[in-house]
Amino acid sequence: MSMHRPSGCPSCAEPLEEGDRFCGVCGYDVSVPPPSATAPTDTTAPTAPTAPTAPAAGPDRPTLPLHSPPDQARDTTFGFGFAAAPPATAGGATPTAPGTPAAPGAPGAPGAAGRPTRYDTPAPAAAVAHDPEPDDPRSGPVPPAPEQPAADAPGTGAPAGDGPAGDTAAPGGTGKVCVACRAGRVDTDGYCEHCGHAQPRERDHLEEELGSVAAVSDRGLRHHRNEDSFAVAATALADGSTATVAIVCDGVSSASRPDDASAAAAATANEFLLDALPRGTHPQEAMHEAILAAAQAVNALAPEVPGAQNAPACTLVGAVVSGGLLTIGWVGDSRAYWVPDDRAALPRRLTEDDSWAAQMVAAGLMGEAEAYADVRAHAITGWLGADAYELEPHTRTFRPDHPGVVVVCTDGLWNYAESAQEMAHVLPADAAEHPLHSAQVLVGHALDGGGHDNVTVAVVPFAVPPGPDA
């Protein structure tokens, strides 16, 4: 093995990871040394196609805070016009993020300027392979497929017409056929042996819908993997009513194993809530304990090496709808928004970021617009992980008196719809009846806006329970 292996792809400069044999963006064979500037060009061999240069990646939420966040007791009220649910204490309103220039698109139809909304109707894998988005870095040059033996030739296996190429197992490797060239064999490292394209991972795009909640997660257009995770569920309570749960986690990219951290946190918090709520635990107390359990699950991923740094880390935001109560819990900069069904009523942001920008605003050192425009804005000051400061989850409970929808999301979405008004503008008006479609629209809005980060969103409808006289 060469000791001078390039740290970036010689073709498109995409950063490489240890053990990569091919570039995940352009498919370049990085095991071949780059040609010397003075070496003669071999005109008899085809040259490797050159992919467009990938844009330089911006700072992705550095996790080193300026100082430890102050100790903070659990919040129980939020002055957004909701009736505070017991055992809440009186509290004032927290200012929401300021409005930012509206992202392209109209309500329910983001990306209207030239492109349809993405993922409203997910295309099959074969269609995506043959008709990629022209500006999507996932699509790269695909070499011509090798000639296939005649269907009736001896030893060729199944006869012609036995099934599409994507359903035919290739000899050796993983038994899968490349979704890009539809002919090459996929090796055990996840790359096509013919064209070099990385195959879609299971987490690149995920969707899930229950009757009362739906969530969508997408890798985005710039990251090489999806480091977000979510869990949605519903469970019956002792009184016969139903509790709906949505958990969304965002892995910290600058830490190790961020994808594992977010998956462990989301699964653990969800399982804890599904166990605690049917036993009669108050939703706010259950959410608090669920976040602590999620933190322990992430801590367990840290290497057992004294002095090890960059432990796995993630943010978390969750929502529970049960018995006429809306309970929110979070750590980090993932957010929850309230959007009333009656769009004449004001939407609200229900969380406050654990971030550098939020600290600057809270200290009165900057205005919101100035703070969130700063390059340090997304440096988080709270997270789940072994190297986090003393953890004290934020939890709040509301009792809305009108129906609406809760949008639970990572910053991959709210970067393109930061204020509550912008989020309400993008969210379809029928979100309560079609939560999955609404989640797809929101993810499509982020992708059409640039998709610079992983994007995950859960849409949770809230219905006001009927009164005793109803």
mmCIF file with all atom_site columns, all heavy atoms in Angstrom, residues 182-207:
data_model
loop_
_atom_site.group_PDB
_atom_site.id
_atom_site.type_symbol
_atom_site.label_atom_id
_atom_site.label_alt_id
_atom_site.label_comp_id
_atom_site.label_asym_id
_atom_site.label_entity_id
_atom_site.label_seq_id
_atom_site.pdbx_PDB_ins_code
_atom_site.Cartn_x
_atom_site.Cartn_y
_atom_site.Cartn_z
_atom_site.occupancy
_atom_site.B_iso_or_equiv
_atom_site.pdbx_formal_charge
_atom_site.auth_seq_id
_atom_site.auth_comp_id
_atom_site.auth_asym_id
_atom_site.auth_atom_id
_atom_site.pdbx_PDB_model_num
ATOM 1   N N   . ARG A 1 182 ? -26.159 -0.482  -14.318 1.00 0.00 ? 182 ARG A N   1
ATOM 2   C CA  . ARG A 1 182 ? -27.084 -1.603  -14.456 1.00 0.00 ? 182 ARG A CA  1
ATOM 3   C C   . ARG A 1 182 ? -26.419 -2.861  -14.993 1.00 0.00 ? 182 ARG A C   1
ATOM 4   O O   . ARG A 1 182 ? -27.092 -3.746  -15.513 1.00 0.00 ? 182 ARG A O   1
ATOM 5   C CB  . ARG A 1 182 ? -28.267 -1.233  -15.364 1.00 0.00 ? 182 ARG A CB  1
ATOM 6   C CG  . ARG A 1 182 ? -28.983 0.043   -14.987 1.00 0.00 ? 182 ARG A CG  1
ATOM 7   C CD  . ARG A 1 182 ? -29.683 -0.087  -13.671 1.00 0.00 ? 182 ARG A CD  1
ATOM 8   N NE  . ARG A 1 182 ? -30.839 -0.973  -13.765 1.00 0.00 ? 182 ARG A NE  1
ATOM 9   C CZ  . ARG A 1 182 ? -31.522 -1.405  -12.719 1.00 0.00 ? 182 ARG A CZ  1
ATOM 10  N NH1 . ARG A 1 182 ? -31.138 -1.044  -11.504 1.00 0.00 ? 182 ARG A NH1 1
ATOM 11  N NH2 . ARG A 1 182 ? -32.546 -2.191  -12.865 1.00 0.00 ? 182 ARG A NH2 1
ATOM 12  N N   . ALA A 1 183 ? -25.096 -2.930  -14.890 1.00 0.00 ? 183 ALA A N   1
ATOM 13  C CA  . ALA A 1 183 ? -24.408 -4.103  -15.419 1.00 0.00 ? 183 ALA A CA  1
ATOM 14  C C   . ALA A 1 183 ? -23.300 -4.586  -14.516 1.00 0.00 ? 183 ALA A C   1
ATOM 15  O O   . ALA A 1 183 ? -23.050 -5.782  -14.415 1.00 0.00 ? 183 ALA A O   1
ATOM 16  C CB  . ALA A 1 183 ? -23.842 -3.781  -16.810 1.00 0.00 ? 183 ALA A CB  1
ATOM 17  N N   . GLY A 1 184 ? -22.591 -3.645  -13.866 1.00 0.00 ? 184 GLY A N   1
ATOM 18  C CA  . GLY A 1 184 ? -21.449 -4.029  -13.055 1.00 0.00 ? 184 GLY A CA  1
ATOM 19  C C   . GLY A 1 184 ? -21.841 -4.702  -11.753 1.00 0.00 ? 184 GLY A C   1
ATOM 20  O O   . GLY A 1 184 ? -22.951 -4.536  -11.252 1.00 0.00 ? 184 GLY A O   1
ATOM 21  N N   . ARG A 1 185 ? -20.918 -5.456  -11.198 1.00 0.00 ? 185 ARG A N   1
ATOM 22  C CA  . ARG A 1 185 ? -21.124 -6.133  -9.929  1.00 0.00 ? 185 ARG A CA  1
ATOM 23  C C   . ARG A 1 185 ? -20.758 -5.191  -8.783  1.00 0.00 ? 185 ARG A C   1
ATOM 24  O O   . ARG A 1 185 ? -19.764 -4.473  -8.850  1.00 0.00 ? 185 ARG A O   1
ATOM 25  C CB  . ARG A 1 185 ? -20.251 -7.388  -9.887  1.00 0.00 ? 185 ARG A CB  1
ATOM 26  C CG  . ARG A 1 185 ? -20.390 -8.196  -8.602  1.00 0.00 ? 185 ARG A CG  1
ATOM 27  C CD  . ARG A 1 185 ? -19.511 -9.425  -8.644  1.00 0.00 ? 185 ARG A CD  1
ATOM 28  N NE  . ARG A 1 185 ? -18.099 -9.075  -8.768  1.00 0.00 ? 185 ARG A NE  1
ATOM 29  C CZ  . ARG A 1 185 ? -17.127 -9.968  -8.882  1.00 0.00 ? 185 ARG A CZ  1
ATOM 30  N NH1 . ARG A 1 185 ? -17.420 -11.254 -8.949  1.00 0.00 ? 185 ARG A NH1 1
ATOM 31  N NH2 . ARG A 1 185 ? -15.863 -9.581  -8.969  1.00 0.00 ? 185 ARG A NH2 1
ATOM 32  N N   . VAL A 1 186 ? -21.550 -5.208  -7.732  1.00 0.00 ? 186 VAL A N   1
ATOM 33  C CA  . VAL A 1 186 ? -21.288 -4.391  -6.554  1.00 0.00 ? 186 VAL A CA  1
ATOM 34  C C   . VAL A 1 186 ? -20.389 -5.182  -5.616  1.00 0.00 ? 186 VAL A C   1
ATOM 35  O O   . VAL A 1 186 ? -20.736 -6.289  -5.186  1.00 0.00 ? 186 VAL A O   1
ATOM 36  C CB  . VAL A 1 186 ? -22.580 -3.995  -5.835  1.00 0.00 ? 186 VAL A CB  1
ATOM 37  C CG1 . VAL A 1 186 ? -22.276 -3.178  -4.583  1.00 0.00 ? 186 VAL A CG1 1
ATOM 38  C CG2 . VAL A 1 186 ? -23.480 -3.203  -6.773  1.00 0.00 ? 186 VAL A CG2 1
ATOM 39  N N   . ASP A 1 187 ? -19.222 -4.618  -5.302  1.00 0.00 ? 187 ASP A N   1
ATOM 40  C CA  . ASP A 1 187 ? -18.283 -5.281  -4.421  1.00 0.00 ? 187 ASP A CA  1
ATOM 41  C C   . ASP A 1 187 ? -18.748 -5.139  -2.972  1.00 0.00 ? 187 ASP A C   1
ATOM 42  O O   . ASP A 1 187 ? -19.673 -4.397  -2.660  1.00 0.00 ? 187 ASP A O   1
ATOM 43  C CB  . ASP A 1 187 ? -16.891 -4.671  -4.599  1.00 0.00 ? 187 ASP A CB  1
ATOM 44  C CG  . ASP A 1 187 ? -15.782 -5.636  -4.184  1.00 0.00 ? 187 ASP A CG  1
ATOM 45  O OD1 . ASP A 1 187 ? -16.111 -6.668  -3.568  1.00 0.00 ? 187 ASP A OD1 1
ATOM 46  O OD2 . ASP A 1 187 ? -14.604 -5.348  -4.466  1.00 0.00 ? 187 ASP A OD2 1
ATOM 47  N N   . THR A 1 188 ? -18.074 -5.847  -2.074  1.00 0.00 ? 188 THR A N   1
ATOM 48  C CA  . THR A 1 188 ? -18.464 -5.822  -0.668  1.00 0.00 ? 188 THR A CA  1
ATOM 49  C C   . THR A 1 188 ? -18.242 -4.460  -0.018  1.00 0.00 ? 188 THR A C   1
ATOM 50  O O   . THR A 1 188 ? -18.775 -4.196  1.058   1.00 0.00 ? 188 THR A O   1
ATOM 51  C CB  . THR A 1 188 ? -17.672 -6.888  0.107   1.00 0.00 ? 188 THR A CB  1
ATOM 52  O OG1 . THR A 1 188 ? -16.274 -6.683  -0.121  1.00 0.00 ? 188 THR A OG1 1
ATOM 53  C CG2 . THR A 1 188 ? -18.066 -8.285  -0.345  1.00 0.00 ? 188 THR A CG2 1
ATOM 54  N N   . ASP A 1 189 ? -17.446 -3.582  -0.667  1.00 0.00 ? 189 ASP A N   1
ATOM 55  C CA  . ASP A 1 189 ? -17.231 -2.245  -0.112  1.00 0.00 ? 189 ASP A CA  1
ATOM 56  C C   . ASP A 1 189 ? -18.315 -1.263  -0.535  1.00 0.00 ? 189 ASP A C   1
ATOM 57  O O   . ASP A 1 189 ? -18.261 -0.092  -0.188  1.00 0.00 ? 189 ASP A O   1
ATOM 58  C CB  . ASP A 1 189 ? -15.854 -1.710  -0.510  1.00 0.00 ? 189 ASP A CB  1
ATOM 59  C CG  . ASP A 1 189 ? -15.673 -1.557  -2.009  1.00 0.00 ? 189 ASP A CG  1
ATOM 60  O OD1 . ASP A 1 189 ? -16.623 -1.896  -2.767  1.00 0.00 ? 189 ASP A OD1 1
ATOM 61  O OD2 . ASP A 1 189 ? -14.597 -1.115  -2.445  1.00 0.00 ? 189 ASP A OD2 1
ATOM 62  N N   . GLY A 1 190 ? -19.314 -1.739  -1.312  1.00 0.00 ? 190 GLY A N   1
ATOM 63  C CA  . GLY A 1 190 ? -20.432 -0.884  -1.691  1.00 0.00 ? 190 GLY A CA  1
ATOM 64  C C   . GLY A 1 190 ? -20.228 -0.105  -2.972  1.00 0.00 ? 190 GLY A C   1
ATOM 65  O O   . GLY A 1 190 ? -21.022 0.775   -3.283  1.00 0.00 ? 190 GLY A O   1
ATOM 66  N N   . TYR A 1 191 ? -19.179 -0.422  -3.759  1.00 0.00 ? 191 TYR A N   1
ATOM 67  C CA  . TYR A 1 191 ? -18.903 0.281   -5.004  1.00 0.00 ? 191 TYR A CA  1
ATOM 68  C C   . TYR A 1 191 ? -19.019 -0.684  -6.172  1.00 0.00 ? 191 TYR A C   1
ATOM 69  O O   . TYR A 1 191 ? -18.714 -1.877  -6.062  1.00 0.00 ? 191 TYR A O   1
ATOM 70  C CB  . TYR A 1 191 ? -17.509 0.898   -4.990  1.00 0.00 ? 191 TYR A CB  1
ATOM 71  C CG  . TYR A 1 191 ? -17.363 2.053   -4.025  1.00 0.00 ? 191 TYR A CG  1
ATOM 72  C CD1 . TYR A 1 191 ? -17.085 1.845   -2.684  1.00 0.00 ? 191 TYR A CD1 1
ATOM 73  C CD2 . TYR A 1 191 ? -17.520 3.370   -4.461  1.00 0.00 ? 191 TYR A CD2 1
ATOM 74  C CE1 . TYR A 1 191 ? -16.955 2.890   -1.790  1.00 0.00 ? 191 TYR A CE1 1
ATOM 75  C CE2 . TYR A 1 191 ? -17.391 4.432   -3.582  1.00 0.00 ? 191 TYR A CE2 1
ATOM 76  C CZ  . TYR A 1 191 ? -17.107 4.186   -2.251  1.00 0.00 ? 191 TYR A CZ  1
ATOM 77  O OH  . TYR A 1 191 ? -16.993 5.231   -1.369  1.00 0.00 ? 191 TYR A OH  1
ATOM 78  N N   . CYS A 1 192 ? -19.444 -0.148  -7.320  1.00 0.00 ? 192 CYS A N   1
ATOM 79  C CA  . CYS A 1 192 ? -19.546 -0.960  -8.530  1.00 0.00 ? 192 CYS A CA  1
ATOM 80  C C   . CYS A 1 192 ? -18.148 -1.254  -9.070  1.00 0.00 ? 192 CYS A C   1
ATOM 81  O O   . CYS A 1 192 ? -17.324 -0.348  -9.224  1.00 0.00 ? 192 CYS A O   1
ATOM 82  C CB  . CYS A 1 192 ? -20.372 -0.227  -9.586  1.00 0.00 ? 192 CYS A CB  1
ATOM 83  S SG  . CYS A 1 192 ? -20.440 -1.083  -11.183 1.00 0.00 ? 192 CYS A SG  1
ATOM 84  N N   . GLU A 1 193 ? -17.879 -2.509  -9.389  1.00 0.00 ? 193 GLU A N   1
ATOM 85  C CA  . GLU A 1 193 ? -16.572 -2.883  -9.905  1.00 0.00 ? 193 GLU A CA  1
ATOM 86  C C   . GLU A 1 193 ? -16.370 -2.439  -11.337 1.00 0.00 ? 193 GLU A C   1
ATOM 87  O O   . GLU A 1 193 ? -15.243 -2.398  -11.826 1.00 0.00 ? 193 GLU A O   1
ATOM 88  C CB  . GLU A 1 193 ? -16.394 -4.403  -9.806  1.00 0.00 ? 193 GLU A CB  1
ATOM 89  C CG  . GLU A 1 193 ? -16.284 -4.921  -8.385  1.00 0.00 ? 193 GLU A CG  1
ATOM 90  C CD  . GLU A 1 193 ? -16.000 -6.404  -8.334  1.00 0.00 ? 193 GLU A CD  1
ATOM 91  O OE1 . GLU A 1 193 ? -16.253 -7.079  -9.353  1.00 0.00 ? 193 GLU A OE1 1
ATOM 92  O OE2 . GLU A 1 193 ? -15.527 -6.881  -7.285  1.00 0.00 ? 193 GLU A OE2 1
ATOM 93  N N   . HIS A 1 194 ? -17.460 -2.075  -12.028 1.00 0.00 ? 194 HIS A N   1
ATOM 94  C CA  . HIS A 1 194 ? -17.340 -1.639  -13.419 1.00 0.00 ? 194 HIS A CA  1
ATOM 95  C C   . HIS A 1 194 ? -17.209 -0.129  -13.545 1.00 0.00 ? 194 HIS A C   1
ATOM 96  O O   . HIS A 1 194 ? -16.246 0.381   -14.118 1.00 0.00 ? 194 HIS A O   1
ATOM 97  C CB  . HIS A 1 194 ? -18.551 -2.118  -14.222 1.00 0.00 ? 194 HIS A CB  1
ATOM 98  C CG  . HIS A 1 194 ? -18.646 -1.507  -15.596 1.00 0.00 ? 194 HIS A CG  1
ATOM 99  N ND1 . HIS A 1 194 ? -17.671 -1.668  -16.559 1.00 0.00 ? 194 HIS A ND1 1
ATOM 100 C CD2 . HIS A 1 194 ? -19.599 -0.712  -16.158 1.00 0.00 ? 194 HIS A CD2 1
ATOM 101 C CE1 . HIS A 1 194 ? -18.012 -1.005  -17.650 1.00 0.00 ? 194 HIS A CE1 1
ATOM 102 N NE2 . HIS A 1 194 ? -19.174 -0.415  -17.429 1.00 0.00 ? 194 HIS A NE2 1
ATOM 103 N N   . CYS A 1 195 ? -18.185 0.619   -12.976 1.00 0.00 ? 195 CYS A N   1
ATOM 104 C CA  . CYS A 1 195 ? -18.188 2.068   -13.162 1.00 0.00 ? 195 CYS A CA  1
ATOM 105 C C   . CYS A 1 195 ? -17.686 2.821   -11.933 1.00 0.00 ? 195 CYS A C   1
ATOM 106 O O   . CYS A 1 195 ? -17.447 4.018   -12.005 1.00 0.00 ? 195 CYS A O   1
ATOM 107 C CB  . CYS A 1 195 ? -19.589 2.568   -13.527 1.00 0.00 ? 195 CYS A CB  1
ATOM 108 S SG  . CYS A 1 195 ? -20.803 2.428   -12.188 1.00 0.00 ? 195 CYS A SG  1
ATOM 109 N N   . GLY A 1 196 ? -17.517 2.130   -10.803 1.00 0.00 ? 196 GLY A N   1
ATOM 110 C CA  . GLY A 1 196 ? -16.972 2.772   -9.617  1.00 0.00 ? 196 GLY A CA  1
ATOM 111 C C   . GLY A 1 196 ? -17.960 3.568   -8.803  1.00 0.00 ? 196 GLY A C   1
ATOM 112 O O   . GLY A 1 196 ? -17.582 4.197   -7.820  1.00 0.00 ? 196 GLY A O   1
ATOM 113 N N   . HIS A 1 197 ? -19.239 3.580   -9.171  1.00 0.00 ? 197 HIS A N   1
ATOM 114 C CA  . HIS A 1 197 ? -20.216 4.378   -8.439  1.00 0.00 ? 197 HIS A CA  1
ATOM 115 C C   . HIS A 1 197 ? -20.531 3.755   -7.082  1.00 0.00 ? 197 HIS A C   1
ATOM 116 O O   . HIS A 1 197 ? -20.720 2.542   -6.971  1.00 0.00 ? 197 HIS A O   1
ATOM 117 C CB  . HIS A 1 197 ? -21.515 4.513   -9.243  1.00 0.00 ? 197 HIS A CB  1
ATOM 118 C CG  . HIS A 1 197 ? -21.524 5.689   -10.160 1.00 0.00 ? 197 HIS A CG  1
ATOM 119 N ND1 . HIS A 1 197 ? -20.718 5.768   -11.260 1.00 0.00 ? 197 HIS A ND1 1
ATOM 120 C CD2 . HIS A 1 197 ? -22.239 6.845   -10.126 1.00 0.00 ? 197 HIS A CD2 1
ATOM 121 C CE1 . HIS A 1 197 ? -20.941 6.916   -11.894 1.00 0.00 ? 197 HIS A CE1 1
ATOM 122 N NE2 . HIS A 1 197 ? -21.850 7.589   -11.217 1.00 0.00 ? 197 HIS A NE2 1
ATOM 123 N N   . ALA A 1 198 ? -20.594 4.616   -6.060  1.00 0.00 ? 198 ALA A N   1
ATOM 124 C CA  . ALA A 1 198 ? -21.046 4.167   -4.745  1.00 0.00 ? 198 ALA A CA  1
ATOM 125 C C   . ALA A 1 198 ? -22.538 3.875   -4.817  1.00 0.00 ? 198 ALA A C   1
ATOM 126 O O   . ALA A 1 198 ? -23.304 4.648   -5.398  1.00 0.00 ? 198 ALA A O   1
ATOM 127 C CB  . ALA A 1 198 ? -20.764 5.230   -3.695  1.00 0.00 ? 198 ALA A CB  1
ATOM 128 N N   . GLN A 1 199 ? -22.948 2.776   -4.238  1.00 0.00 ? 199 GLN A N   1
ATOM 129 C CA  . GLN A 1 199 ? -24.355 2.402   -4.266  1.00 0.00 ? 199 GLN A CA  1
ATOM 130 C C   . GLN A 1 199 ? -25.119 3.105   -3.146  1.00 0.00 ? 199 GLN A C   1
ATOM 131 O O   . GLN A 1 199 ? -24.547 3.422   -2.096  1.00 0.00 ? 199 GLN A O   1
ATOM 132 C CB  . GLN A 1 199 ? -24.483 0.891   -4.125  1.00 0.00 ? 199 GLN A CB  1
ATOM 133 C CG  . GLN A 1 199 ? -23.727 0.124   -5.188  1.00 0.00 ? 199 GLN A CG  1
ATOM 134 C CD  . GLN A 1 199 ? -24.137 0.505   -6.598  1.00 0.00 ? 199 GLN A CD  1
ATOM 135 O OE1 . GLN A 1 199 ? -25.276 0.254   -6.994  1.00 0.00 ? 199 GLN A OE1 1
ATOM 136 N NE2 . GLN A 1 199 ? -23.237 1.126   -7.348  1.00 0.00 ? 199 GLN A NE2 1
ATOM 137 N N   . PRO A 1 200 ? -26.391 3.380   -3.372  1.00 0.00 ? 200 PRO A N   1
ATOM 138 C CA  . PRO A 1 200 ? -27.174 4.063   -2.335  1.00 0.00 ? 200 PRO A CA  1
ATOM 139 C C   . PRO A 1 200 ? -27.193 3.253   -1.044  1.00 0.00 ? 200 PRO A C   1
ATOM 140 O O   . PRO A 1 200 ? -27.386 2.041   -1.054  1.00 0.00 ? 200 PRO A O   1
ATOM 141 C CB  . PRO A 1 200 ? -28.576 4.148   -2.950  1.00 0.00 ? 200 PRO A CB  1
ATOM 142 C CG  . PRO A 1 200 ? -28.368 4.019   -4.421  1.00 0.00 ? 200 PRO A CG  1
ATOM 143 C CD  . PRO A 1 200 ? -27.173 3.138   -4.589  1.00 0.00 ? 200 PRO A CD  1
ATOM 144 N N   . ARG A 1 201 ? -26.966 3.933   0.063   1.00 0.00 ? 201 ARG A N   1
ATOM 145 C CA  . ARG A 1 201 ? -27.078 3.294   1.367   1.00 0.00 ? 201 ARG A CA  1
ATOM 146 C C   . ARG A 1 201 ? -28.535 3.305   1.804   1.00 0.00 ? 201 ARG A C   1
ATOM 147 O O   . ARG A 1 201 ? -29.320 4.133   1.359   1.00 0.00 ? 201 ARG A O   1
ATOM 148 C CB  . ARG A 1 201 ? -26.212 4.017   2.410   1.00 0.00 ? 201 ARG A CB  1
ATOM 149 C CG  . ARG A 1 201 ? -24.721 4.026   2.105   1.00 0.00 ? 201 ARG A CG  1
ATOM 150 C CD  . ARG A 1 201 ? -23.983 4.837   3.163   1.00 0.00 ? 201 ARG A CD  1
ATOM 151 N NE  . ARG A 1 201 ? -22.541 4.819   2.988   1.00 0.00 ? 201 ARG A NE  1
ATOM 152 C CZ  . ARG A 1 201 ? -21.858 5.688   2.268   1.00 0.00 ? 201 ARG A CZ  1
ATOM 153 N NH1 . ARG A 1 201 ? -22.505 6.668   1.644   1.00 0.00 ? 201 ARG A NH1 1
ATOM 154 N NH2 . ARG A 1 201 ? -20.541 5.601   2.169   1.00 0.00 ? 201 ARG A NH2 1
ATOM 155 N N   . GLU A 1 202 ? -28.843 2.419   2.712   1.00 0.00 ? 202 GLU A N   1
ATOM 156 C CA  . GLU A 1 202 ? -30.226 2.328   3.166   1.00 0.00 ? 202 GLU A CA  1
ATOM 157 C C   . GLU A 1 202 ? -30.695 3.636   3.790   1.00 0.00 ? 202 GLU A C   1
ATOM 158 O O   . GLU A 1 202 ? -31.847 4.031   3.636   1.00 0.00 ? 202 GLU A O   1
ATOM 159 C CB  . GLU A 1 202 ? -30.364 1.192   4.183   1.00 0.00 ? 202 GLU A CB  1
ATOM 160 C CG  . GLU A 1 202 ? -31.786 0.999   4.702   1.00 0.00 ? 202 GLU A CG  1
ATOM 161 C CD  . GLU A 1 202 ? -31.879 -0.097  5.746   1.00 0.00 ? 202 GLU A CD  1
ATOM 162 O OE1 . GLU A 1 202 ? -30.834 -0.715  6.040   1.00 0.00 ? 202 GLU A OE1 1
ATOM 163 O OE2 . GLU A 1 202 ? -32.985 -0.321  6.273   1.00 0.00 ? 202 GLU A OE2 1
ATOM 164 N N   . ARG A 1 203 ? -29.796 4.348   4.475   1.00 0.00 ? 203 ARG A N   1
ATOM 165 C CA  . ARG A 1 203 ? -30.181 5.577   5.167   1.00 0.00 ? 203 ARG A CA  1
ATOM 166 C C   . ARG A 1 203 ? -30.118 6.812   4.275   1.00 0.00 ? 203 ARG A C   1
ATOM 167 O O   . ARG A 1 203 ? -30.414 7.912   4.752   1.00 0.00 ? 203 ARG A O   1
ATOM 168 C CB  . ARG A 1 203 ? -29.288 5.788   6.386   1.00 0.00 ? 203 ARG A CB  1
ATOM 169 C CG  . ARG A 1 203 ? -29.601 4.849   7.531   1.00 0.00 ? 203 ARG A CG  1
ATOM 170 C CD  . ARG A 1 203 ? -28.651 5.025   8.700   1.00 0.00 ? 203 ARG A CD  1
ATOM 171 N NE  . ARG A 1 203 ? -28.717 6.348   9.308   1.00 0.00 ? 203 ARG A NE  1
ATOM 172 C CZ  . ARG A 1 203 ? -28.096 6.659   10.437  1.00 0.00 ? 203 ARG A CZ  1
ATOM 173 N NH1 . ARG A 1 203 ? -27.365 5.741   11.058  1.00 0.00 ? 203 ARG A NH1 1
ATOM 174 N NH2 . ARG A 1 203 ? -28.180 7.886   10.940  1.00 0.00 ? 203 ARG A NH2 1
ATOM 175 N N   . ASP A 1 204 ? -29.747 6.674   3.013   1.00 0.00 ? 204 ASP A N   1
ATOM 176 C CA  . ASP A 1 204 ? -29.670 7.851   2.145   1.00 0.00 ? 204 ASP A CA  1
ATOM 177 C C   . ASP A 1 204 ? -31.018 8.554   2.033   1.00 0.00 ? 204 ASP A C   1
ATOM 178 O O   . ASP A 1 204 ? -31.077 9.779   1.961   1.00 0.00 ? 204 ASP A O   1
ATOM 179 C CB  . ASP A 1 204 ? -29.162 7.466   0.755   1.00 0.00 ? 204 ASP A CB  1
ATOM 180 C CG  . ASP A 1 204 ? -27.655 7.296   0.720   1.00 0.00 ? 204 ASP A CG  1
ATOM 181 O OD1 . ASP A 1 204 ? -27.004 7.515   1.762   1.00 0.00 ? 204 ASP A OD1 1
ATOM 182 O OD2 . ASP A 1 204 ? -27.120 6.939   -0.341  1.00 0.00 ? 204 ASP A OD2 1
ATOM 183 N N   . HIS A 1 205 ? -32.085 7.782   1.977   1.00 0.00 ? 205 HIS A N   1
ATOM 184 C CA  . HIS A 1 205 ? -33.429 8.380   1.952   1.00 0.00 ? 205 HIS A CA  1
ATOM 185 C C   . HIS A 1 205 ? -34.384 7.413   2.636   1.00 0.00 ? 205 HIS A C   1
ATOM 186 O O   . HIS A 1 205 ? -34.555 6.275   2.204   1.00 0.00 ? 205 HIS A O   1
ATOM 187 C CB  . HIS A 1 205 ? -33.896 8.654   0.527   1.00 0.00 ? 205 HIS A CB  1
ATOM 188 C CG  . HIS A 1 205 ? -35.223 9.372   0.485   1.00 0.00 ? 205 HIS A CG  1
ATOM 189 N ND1 . HIS A 1 205 ? -35.330 10.739  0.603   1.00 0.00 ? 205 HIS A ND1 1
ATOM 190 C CD2 . HIS A 1 205 ? -36.493 8.908   0.374   1.00 0.00 ? 205 HIS A CD2 1
ATOM 191 C CE1 . HIS A 1 205 ? -36.604 11.095  0.558   1.00 0.00 ? 205 HIS A CE1 1
ATOM 192 N NE2 . HIS A 1 205 ? -37.327 9.992   0.424   1.00 0.00 ? 205 HIS A NE2 1
ATOM 193 N N   . LEU A 1 206 ? -34.990 7.873   3.722   1.00 0.00 ? 206 LEU A N   1
ATOM 194 C CA  . LEU A 1 206 ? -35.916 7.052   4.503   1.00 0.00 ? 206 LEU A CA  1
ATOM 195 C C   . LEU A 1 206 ? -37.242 7.779   4.677   1.00 0.00 ? 206 LEU A C   1
ATOM 196 O O   . LEU A 1 206 ? -37.276 9.007   4.843   1.00 0.00 ? 206 LEU A O   1
ATOM 197 C CB  . LEU A 1 206 ? -35.325 6.751   5.886   1.00 0.00 ? 206 LEU A CB  1
ATOM 198 C CG  . LEU A 1 206 ? -34.049 5.906   5.929   1.00 0.00 ? 206 LEU A CG  1
ATOM 199 C CD1 . LEU A 1 206 ? -33.512 5.860   7.355   1.00 0.00 ? 206 LEU A CD1 1
ATOM 200 C CD2 . LEU A 1 206 ? -34.324 4.499   5.428   1.00 0.00 ? 206 LEU A CD2 1
ATOM 201 N N   . GLU A 1 207 ? -38.329 7.026   4.637   1.00 0.00 ? 207 GLU A N   1
ATOM 202 C CA  . GLU A 1 207 ? -39.660 7.569   4.888   1.00 0.00 ? 207 GLU A CA  1
ATOM 203 C C   . GLU A 1 207 ? -40.429 6.590   5.756   1.00 0.00 ? 207 GLU A C   1
ATOM 204 O O   . GLU A 1 207 ? -40.284 5.372   5.607   1.00 0.00 ? 207 GLU A O   1
ATOM 205 C CB  . GLU A 1 207 ? -40.422 7.800   3.576   1.00 0.00 ? 207 GLU A CB  1
ATOM 206 C CG  . GLU A 1 207 ? -39.766 8.797   2.645   1.00 0.00 ? 207 GLU A CG  1
ATOM 207 C CD  . GLU A 1 207 ? -40.617 9.090   1.419   1.00 0.00 ? 207 GLU A CD  1
ATOM 208 O OE1 . GLU A 1 207 ? -41.695 8.476   1.290   1.00 0.00 ? 207 GLU A OE1 1
ATOM 209 O OE2 . GLU A 1 207 ? -40.199 9.925   0.596   1.00 0.00 ? 207 GLU A OE2 1
#
